[in-house]
Amino acid sequence: MNNCPVSKKCGGCQYIEMPYGEQLKKKQRAAEQLLKKYGKVNRIIGMEHPEHYRNKVHAAFAFQKGKGIVSGIYREGTHHVVPVDECLLEDTKADEIIVSVRKLAKSFKLKAYDEDTGYGLLRHVLVRTGHATGQIMVVLVLGSPILPSKKNFINELCKLHPEITTIILNVNNKRTSMVLGEKQQVLYGKGYIEDRLCGRTFRISPKSFYQVNAVQTEKLYHKAIEYAALSGKETAIDAYCGIGTIGLAAAERVKKVIGVELNREAVKDAVVNAKINGIKNVDFYQNDAGRFMVQLAEAGEKIDVVFMDPPRSGSTEEFMEALLRLQPERVVYISCNPETLARDLGYLTARMYRVLEMTPVDMFPFTDDIETVCLLSRHK
Ligand code: SAH
């Protein structure tokens, strides 16, 4: 069943040998092991077609003797590029575009960036696709700001793939494992793509976080909003809100949404997203979520519901302490790491909250990642 020639070197698909039904069972067991002591773990929500779900695809470039410029993934834990043209997880069109970028780079005689010496130009390519809209963004990440024969390069790429809607040049001249650098310039199109989710349109900029699996994201958000049991009267917080997706999907069912997010570009997207969807009862703030919650608590704000969707590292004591001061009736915790979720549930259930139920959602088939949405309610 495993047709992937690089699965061993890549290490990205821990469950590639396992039928999908087995994967779901394994994740269910893992989630239960970590989380059961806090409350009921419902049956994991899986995918009907679990392949090629990743709408964000990244490849690194390198020069290899005998092969010339190659594109692919880093061998697990190294900076050695393993050539890859197709991947079971990645959007198929995105993979085709990456192959075309590499071929064009060859014919334009562009040099691949060398991670060891810092010489060379072409470093990474990132392709992001709007699942529902079909819009496609290509980000070329260069080690220095000048792309020779820029116009021709773009023309050729768009001729091969007329479905590309925007191309961005990003400059990353630092010795870092981060893909994107600070400076960027729009070479073609609007500089962002849009996608549709839960009946709303969302603008996504190159550096903004957006869930990689759109099909499962809708299921995840529906569950989160169902858990929040909104009546239309609530003030809700969307903490770690990214481009505002959860808050904007919930907005018509509450009085007011307050979103907070650290990444400036994402907050800008969130503000635009409220506007393009004609949603007026939402405010977004750029801040550390913990610090922001402390400010709300100090201002004596009345908060009814908190959606929180922190990164893998989970939330912070600062955030949760402020949450305890704000005392929302319900907390909907969305987590991409059951270990930090368990840690944070330990903190909250030792104090004012109890877990009513949890539902894992399989956002990352073939990998061992587990996403969970968890409903907590305040003790009476
Ligand atoms: N809820 C969004 C984003 C979830 S990902 C969605 O579903 O798309 C987690 C987000 O938390 C990212 O956008 C990241 O930029 C943001 N983030 C990370 N650390 C943060 C912090 N300390 N304060 C606020 N936001 C933070």
Side-chain angles (χ1 to χ4, degrees):
M1 113 139 216
N2 175 11
N3 296 323
C4 178
V6 298
S7 63
K8 290 252 150 51
K9 291 177 185 163
C10 165
C13 290
Q14 296 84 6
Y15 296 166
I16 197 159
E17 307 281 356
M18 222 183 278
Y20 188 54
E22 285 297 311
Q23 297 178 28
L24 292 177
K25 279 190 201 143
K26 194 168 164 98
K27 291 192 187 190
Q28 182 77 32
R29 281 197 300 271
E32 279 173 6
Q33 221 165 37
L34 280 161
L35 301 169
K36 194 169 64 187
K37 66 174 166 195
Y38 300 109
K40 179 167 179 272
V41 181
N42 295 325
R43 164 86 80 67
I44 187 167
I45 301 175
M47 286 188 89
E48 202 179 332
H49 304 290
E51 293 94 18
H52 302 292
Y53 57 84
R54 278 197 71 94
N55 60 26
K56 178 166 122 181
V57 178
H58 160 248
F61 292 100
F63 177 82
Q64 287 176 2
K65 278 211 180 101
K67 294 193 185 125
I69 192 164
V70 297
S71 61
I73 41 137
Y74 290 123
R75 184 191 279 257
E76 210 182 355
T78 73
H79 263 160
H80 179 79
V81 174
V82 180
V84 175
D85 283 358
E86 292 174 336
C87 164
L88 176 67
L89 308 192
E90 294 169 357
D91 181 80
T92 315
K93 180 60 75 186
D95 280 345
E96 287 168 20
I97 292 172
I98 290 171
V99 170
S100 295
V101 170
R102 185 188 68 228
K103 287 184 176 159
L104 283 176
K106 211 171 248 177
S107 64
F108 278 73
K109 301 199 166 46
L110 302 182
K111 291 230 158 40
Y113 180 88
D114 185 322
E115 292 279 342
D116 297 323
T117 63
Y119 288 116
L121 184 66
L122 196 51
R123 206 165 171 176
H124 308 273
V125 58
L126 193 69
V127 180
R128 298 180 86 170
T129 309
H131 176 80
T133 60
Q135 296 181 19
I136 298 179
M137 168 197 296
V138 177
V139 186
L140 301 168
V141 185
L142 308 185
S144 50
I146 304 216
L147 176 64
S149 321
K150 188 165 77 183
K151 272 219 174 94
N152 282 339
F153 191 92
I154 293 162
N155 283 344
E156 292 296 318
L157 187 58
C158 291
K159 226 192 281 167
L160 289 169
H161 299 281
E163 60 279 12
I164 294 174
T165 51
T166 188
I167 303 177
I168 292 137
L169 187 162
N170 176 284
V171 185
N172 185 354
N173 52 15
K174 298 218 171 83
R175 299 283 183 95
T176 165
S177 57
M178 298 270 288
V179 173
L180 296 178
E182 233 158 77
K183 283 202 191 124
Q184 55 191 29
Q185 180 196 350
V186 179
L187 300 181
Y188 171 75
K190 298 182 288 195
Y192 57 84
I193 53 165
E194 289 152 330
D195 199 10
R196 285 189 68 76
L197 212 56
C198 302
R200 314 272 186 288
T201 301
F202 294 104
R203 169 194 288 207
I204 308 155
S205 294
K207 289 184 201 164
S208 297
F209 176 90
Y210 185 63
Q211 299 285 354
V212 298
N213 184 337
V215 171
Q216 293 300 88
T217 300
E218 280 208 327
K219 297 180 194 166
L220 178 74
Y221 289 176
H222 278 141
K223 194 42 98 185
I225 291 169
E226 175 197 317
Y227 277 175
L230 303 166
S231 70
K233 295 190 191 122
E234 295 85 359
T235 298
I237 290 181
D238 181 2
Y240 310 91
C241 69
I243 62 171
T245 39
I246 296 171
L248 291 169
E252 66 185 8
R253 303 183 197 205
V254 297
K255 190 171 87 196
K256 188 177 162 195
V257 178
I258 303 170
V260 58
E261 159 66 43
L262 195 57
N263 179 320
R264 264 171 222 286
E265 204 168 274
V267 176
K268 276 192 198 154
D269 284 347
V271 170
V272 172
N273 287 333
K275 211 174 272 172
I276 54 186
N277 290 289
I279 296 172
K280 298 210 168 72
N281 59 337
V282 184
D283 288 318
F284 291 105
Y285 297 89
Q286 191 266 322
N287 205 338
D288 169 78
R291 201 173 318 139
F292 185 75
M293 291 289 279
V294 172
Q295 288 168 6
L296 289 181
E298 266 157 23
E301 291 281 339
K302 185 178 172 315
I303 304 298
D304 305 293
V305 176
V306 170
F307 293 97
M308 55 190 285
D309 185 7
R312 287 190 67 77
S313 53
S315 194
T316 58
E317 289 213 0
E318 185 186 37
F319 184 102
M320 291 188 288
E321 248 173 53
L323 185 81
L324 294 171
R325 285 169 69 190
L326 287 163
Q327 304 188 6
E329 195 69 39
R330 285 174 174 243
V331 176
V332 180
Y333 190 142
I334 298 172
S335 155
C336 56
N337 181 351
E339 284 173 19
T340 55
L341 174 62
R343 180 199 68 201
D344 292 348
L345 292 182
Y347 184 93
L348 291 170
T349 55
R351 291 161 176 89
M352 208 184 284
Y353 286 86
R354 67 199 155 114
V355 174
L356 296 188
E357 57 179 292
M358 291 168 269
T359 305
V361 179
D362 193 22
M363 301 285 276
F364 312 101
F366 298 100
T367 79
D368 58 8
D369 283 321
I370 302 175
E371 184 94 10
T372 313
V373 51
C374 173
L375 170 62
L376 295 114
S377 106
R378 180 158 57 87
H379 287 307
K380 289 278 175 294

